[in-house]
């Protein structure tokens, strides 16, 4: 049976560029796809003066389309300014790969979202966010949708373990309906803090467990 992938896709899938992690990354993101539950992480090194991406790596837990897209967009983003890299679209990525089967669109969207989220992470950490919207319960909830519950492979909101979110004077308190001695409690706490803390008006994040 012929594969539904172009030769370029297969080449990037077999020999993906820029795979791995950057230990001292200036910014990173982990994005999950609601469509298939797969995940992708993106790491960036950025020249702080020119705001140019000097190094970029990705790790994919997704399919061939996702790996090939991660490979091509990291190539496209390297040496670009943050603004230029932000403008890379899934359509451009898919075109550069010689097209992807329509059923696989969400896989390249996941890769592009991963790149944009890593850039956003850099901007938040360095006070570069232009549109400063106040952090609300909805903003926090949206971020918690990107924190996976490792037991299920789905996010915290979808698995209904977010019991409460409170915001007061720069402090965000999140209550998770899991025991504090749960095997993944420490990971979940760390990931929540990682996602919420970069928000420009948040000074402190407290994660509590119900039991
Ligand atoms: Fe999940 Fe492609 S099917 S990333």
């Amino acid at each position: 049976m012929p594969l539904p992938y172009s030769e370029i896709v297969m080449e990037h899938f077999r020999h993906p560029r820029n795979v791995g992690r950057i230990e001292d990354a200036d910014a990173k993101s982990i994005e999950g796809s609601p469509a298939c539950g797969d995940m992708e992480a993106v790491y960036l090194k950025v020249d702080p003066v020119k705001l140019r991406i000097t190094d970029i790596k990705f790790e994919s837990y997704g399919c061939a389309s996702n790996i090939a897209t991660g490979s091509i967009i990291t190539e496209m983003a390297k040496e670009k300014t943050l603004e230029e890299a932000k403008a890379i679209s899934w359509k451009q990525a898919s075109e550069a790969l010689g097209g992807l089967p329509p059923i696989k669109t969400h896989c390249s969207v996941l890769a592009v979202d991963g790149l944009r989220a890593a850039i956003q992470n850099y901007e938040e950490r360095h006070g570069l966010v232009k549109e400063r919207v106040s952090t609300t319960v909805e903003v926090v909830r949206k971020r918690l949708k990107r924190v996976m519950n490792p037991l299920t492979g789905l996010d915290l909101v979808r698995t209904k373990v977010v019991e409460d979110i409170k915001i007061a004077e720069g402090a965000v308190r999140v209550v998770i309906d899991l025991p504090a001695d749960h095997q993944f409690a420490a990971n979940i706490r760390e990931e929540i803090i990682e996602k919420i803390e970069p928000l420009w008006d948040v000074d402190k994040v407290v994660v509590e467990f119900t039991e």
Side-chain angles (χ1 to χ4, degrees):
M1 201 174 89
L3 285 167
Y5 294 125
S6 71
E7 263 174 43
I8 313 174
V9 172
M10 288 313 291
E11 207 278 314
H12 277 270
F13 170 55
R14 292 200 180 103
H15 309 286
R17 306 356 171 219
N18 311 310
V19 169
R21 76 176 53 198
I22 301 176
E23 290 305 338
D24 60 341
D26 297 322
K28 64 177 180 180
S29 70
I30 300 179
E31 288 292 299
S33 162
C36 63
D38 288 328
M39 287 166 71
E40 176 171 325
V42 176
Y43 304 83
L44 298 180
K45 286 296 275 182
V46 177
D47 175 332
V49 178
K50 297 190 177 126
L51 296 181
R52 195 174 284 284
I53 297 173
T54 53
D55 197 10
I56 177 165
K57 291 215 181 315
F58 79 103
E59 290 173 312
S60 165
Y61 303 93
C63 66
S65 284
N66 179 257
I67 293 171
T69 312
S71 172
I72 203 123
I73 59 161
T74 49
E75 284 291 275
M76 290 161 87
K78 214 182 251 180
E79 298 304 328
K80 286 216 165 49
T81 63
L82 297 179
E83 288 302 323
E84 289 164 351
K86 250 192 262 181
I88 298 172
S89 66
W90 68 263
K91 197 160 172 272
Q92 289 168 337
S94 162
E95 274 167 17
L97 286 168
L100 284 167
I103 196 172
K104 291 282 169 187
T105 303
H106 72 269
C107 314
S108 50
V109 169
L110 173 62
V112 174
D113 282 351
L115 171 63
R116 289 189 184 157
I119 295 172
Q120 189 184 13
N121 181 252
Y122 184 89
E123 291 180 333
E124 285 177 350
R125 287 184 186 279
H126 293 80
L128 300 171
V129 179
K130 289 184 195 107
E131 284 169 38
R132 297 197 154 188
V133 251
S134 302
T135 296
T136 59
V137 169
E138 256 333 288
V139 170
V140 173
R141 187 177 292 279
K142 218 166 143 197
R143 297 218 162 193
L144 294 179
K145 282 189 185 157
R146 301 210 211 121
V147 178
M148 294 293 145
N149 177 352
L151 272 189
T152 58
L154 293 170
D155 68 80
L156 297 182
V157 175
R158 266 214 282 178
T159 49
K160 298 193 170 55
V161 294
V162 180
E163 174 114 343
D164 194 23
I165 301 169
K166 287 237 160 30
I167 303 168
E169 291 164 18
V172 175
R173 180 172 159 269
V174 179
V175 182
I176 299 295
D177 188 13
L178 286 174
D181 60 358
H182 184 279
Q183 59 169 323
F184 293 119
N187 292 52
I188 290 174
R189 170 179 282 125
E190 203 181 305
E191 265 211 59
I192 293 176
I193 294 176
E194 219 168 76
K195 289 278 191 294
I196 311 293
E197 214 169 39
L199 286 164
W200 71 277
D201 55 352
V202 172
D203 303 320
K204 195 172 155 202
V205 182
V206 180
V207 181
E208 287 171 14
F209 294 89
T210 46
E211 298 162 39

